[in-house]
Amino acid sequence: MTDDHRSGITTAHVTKEYPGIGRPAVDDVSLDIADGEFMTFLGPSGSGKTTMLSMIAGFTPLTAGSITVDGQEISGLKPHRRDLGVVFQQYALFPHMTVARNVAFGLARRGRPRAEIERRVADALEMVGLAALGDRFPRQLSGGQQQRVALARAVVYEPRALLMDEPLGALDKKLRDQLQREIARMHRQLGMTFLFVTHDQQEALTLSDRITVFNDGRVEQVGTPEDLYERPRTLFVAQFVGESNALRLNPGEVTIVRPERVTLHSGTGAPAGHQRASAVVTDVVYVGDHSRVWLRYGDGTRGCAVLPAGAVHEHRPGADVVVAWHPEHQAVVPDSEPDVAERVAS
Ligand code: ADP
Ligand code: MG
C-alpha cells in the first residue's frame, strides 16, 4: 500500500458467499479508495453493491478477504467501532425525537460535552439546509428533508468516511437532482471519503471521482466517469454506462462507439480514414439543442447517433445511411455475454 492511500479504504480479495446460493454475492473484490475520494459502486440490481458496502460498514461478515481503513484492519470490528457514517435508502430516523435530537444522538452516546454537541448539530443542520427545522419531528418533514437529516446525522461526528446505499432511491426526480447537488457540495466542503451506491449510471457519472462497476458480484472496471464512457473495457460497461453503438466488425471482438462520435452519410459521403458501417434510421428524436437518431445495423443490432440540431433533416426513418467514425474514438472489447443487452434493458 502506498502512502497516498494510507487514509483511504482498501479491500483485498473480499468475498461473500451466502449458504445455499450457487455463486458468491461478492467475488474476490480488491479496491483502493483514496482518502477524500468520491467513489461510487454502480451496477444492476443483485450485482453485490449492497453486500459490498455492508461488509465495509460492518453489518455483514466477510467469507474471505480483508478491509482496512487508514491502514487499520477493520473486518473484525463492530460497526460502531469503525468510525464510518452510514445512510440508507430508508431514512431510519427516530420518530419520537426532534430533528436536532436525531442528529445529536450519536454524539450524545459518545459522551461529548453538551456545548460541543449543540455546536456540531447546528453546523450539520446548517450544512444540509435544515437550520430552521431542528425542533420539528420526522413526520413533519418531507422525504427529501428526512434524508437530509439522515445525512446530517451520519456526518455530525466527523467519521472517516460516509457510506451511502441508494440514498436518493425513494425520492422523485426533482428532489433527487437537488439532493445530488447537495451531496456533491457536502463532499467538496467536508473533503471526506464518500462511498456511494447506485444502479443509476447518470447519477454515478454526475457525482463520482471514480466508479466501480459491479456485475454478478465481480468488478467489471474501475475508472473515472470519462474512462468508463470513452474507454470501456468490457461489453457490459459499454452497455451499462451510457448509450453505445456495439458493432461486430471482427470475430470475438466488439467495436464500441459512443453516439456523439459518429456522423451519418448518405451513399459514399463518409470521410477518408474513417471506419464505417451500414444502418437504417429507425427514429429521429428532436431534443432542442441536438437530435438523437436511432439506428439498426445490418446484423439487427440497435445503435444511436447524436447530431447537432439542424443536421438531421435528410435522415428520415427508413433511410439507409453510412455511419462513420474516426478509429481513435472507438473502443474494442471482448465479445462476452451476448445476452447482456437484454439483461441491462430489463
Ligand atoms: P445489489 O445491492 O447490487 O442489488 P445485493 O448485494 O443486495 O445486490 O445482492 C447480491 C446478491 O446476493 C443477490 O443475488 C442477492 O439475492 C444475494 N443476497 C443478498 N443478501 C442476501 C442474504 N441475506 N441471503 C442470501 N442471499 C442474499
Ligand atoms: Mg442494493
Side-chain angles (χ1 to χ4, degrees):
M1 196 161 55
T2 66
D3 275 358
D4 286 340
H5 288 85
R6 243 185 45 234
S7 309
I9 301 172
T10 299
T11 77
H13 307 291
V14 168
T15 297
K16 179 67 190 181
E17 286 168 8
Y18 287 109
I21 307 228
R23 57 171 175 239
V26 169
D27 192 359
D28 194 20
V29 172
S30 297
L31 293 172
D32 250 323
I33 303 165
D35 183 30
E37 185 168 36
F38 196 127
M39 170 64 91
T40 295
F41 293 169
L42 172 68
S45 176
S47 59
K49 309 179 298 293
T50 291
T51 303
M52 187 65 194
L53 193 86
S54 178
M55 286 191 283
I56 295 171
F59 302 115
T60 300
L62 285 63
T63 304
S66 77
I67 301 174
T68 58
V69 178
D70 287 342
Q72 174 203 12
E73 174 67 46
I74 60 161
S75 37
L77 297 179
K78 294 243 181 323
H80 67 276
R81 296 246 167 238
R82 297 187 180 202
D83 200 10
L84 303 169
V86 185
V87 177
F88 297 104
Q89 180 171 336
Q90 299 308 327
Y91 326 120
L93 302 177
F94 298 114
H96 58 287
M97 289 185 190
T98 64
V99 164
R101 283 197 53 217
N102 263 283
V103 176
F105 186 78
L107 289 171
R109 205 170 50 174
R110 283 173 172 77
R112 308 308 305 172
R114 190 166 157 186
E116 179 193 330
I117 293 178
E118 281 179 11
R119 176 176 50 77
R120 287 217 204 181
V121 168
D123 287 351
L125 287 176
E126 172 87 42
M127 181 171 55
V128 298
L130 293 181
L133 302 186
D135 294 332
R136 298 256 183 106
F137 286 89
R139 65 173 179 278
Q140 299 172 303
L141 303 181
S142 69
Q145 288 172 328
Q146 290 187 50
Q147 198 56 308
R148 286 164 197 265
V149 178
L151 282 167
R153 186 180 57 177
V155 299
V156 71
Y157 58 88
E158 296 176 4
R160 297 190 282 192
L162 177 60
L163 278 44
M164 292 167 275
D165 190 356
E166 311 238 11
L168 312 181
L171 307 176
D172 65 35
K173 169 135 178 53
K174 198 169 155 220
L175 265 178
R176 215 160 58 218
D177 289 350
Q178 194 182 336
L179 262 164
Q180 263 178 30
R181 286 195 296 277
E182 303 229 350
I183 287 172
R185 182 181 50 74
M186 278 175 69
H187 180 248
R188 286 194 301 273
Q189 202 170 322
L190 295 169
M192 190 186 284
T193 307
F194 276 27
L195 190 43
F196 188 91
V197 165
T198 184
H199 64 271
D200 179 336
Q201 49 104 8
Q202 202 55 54
E203 189 163 279
L205 292 174
T206 306
L207 285 172
S208 318
D209 294 320
R210 284 193 307 157
I211 298 167
T212 302
V213 181
F214 282 83
N215 178 25
D216 274 345
R218 290 183 305 270
V219 173
E220 289 273 332
Q221 187 169 351
V222 184
T224 64
E226 193 189 335
D227 285 336
L228 300 182
Y229 193 76
E230 302 289 350
R231 292 171 290 280
R233 287 214 213 99
T234 68
L235 187 54
F236 182 86
V237 172
Q239 299 194 319
F240 195 74
V241 180
E243 300 280 350
S244 63
N245 297 275
L247 297 147
R248 288 177 171 79
L249 304 176
N250 306 303
E253 294 181 343
V254 185
T255 299
I256 305 295
V257 199
R258 296 301 187 178
E260 300 79 12
R261 300 298 196 178
V262 300
T263 52
L264 301 184
H265 309 272
S266 37
T268 56
H274 278 49
Q275 297 272 68
R276 60 197 69 196
S278 302
V280 176
V281 173
T282 57
D283 200 8
V284 179
V285 182
Y286 174 74
V287 202
D289 59 344
H290 69 276
S291 291
R292 210 162 256 274
V293 179
W294 295 93
L295 305 164
R296 194 177 58 242
Y297 291 95
D299 64 357
T301 311
R302 297 186 176 282
C304 178
V306 166
L307 302 179
V312 294
H313 56 277
E314 74 252 51
H315 306 301
R316 306 227 172 263
D320 290 319
V321 290
V322 172
V323 182
W325 66 94
H326 195 279
E328 80 181 13
H329 293 141
Q330 71 187 28
V332 179
V333 300
D335 191 1
S336 58
E337 306 189 71
D339 64 327
V340 77
E342 285 87 85
R343 277 200 296 122
V344 169
S346 64

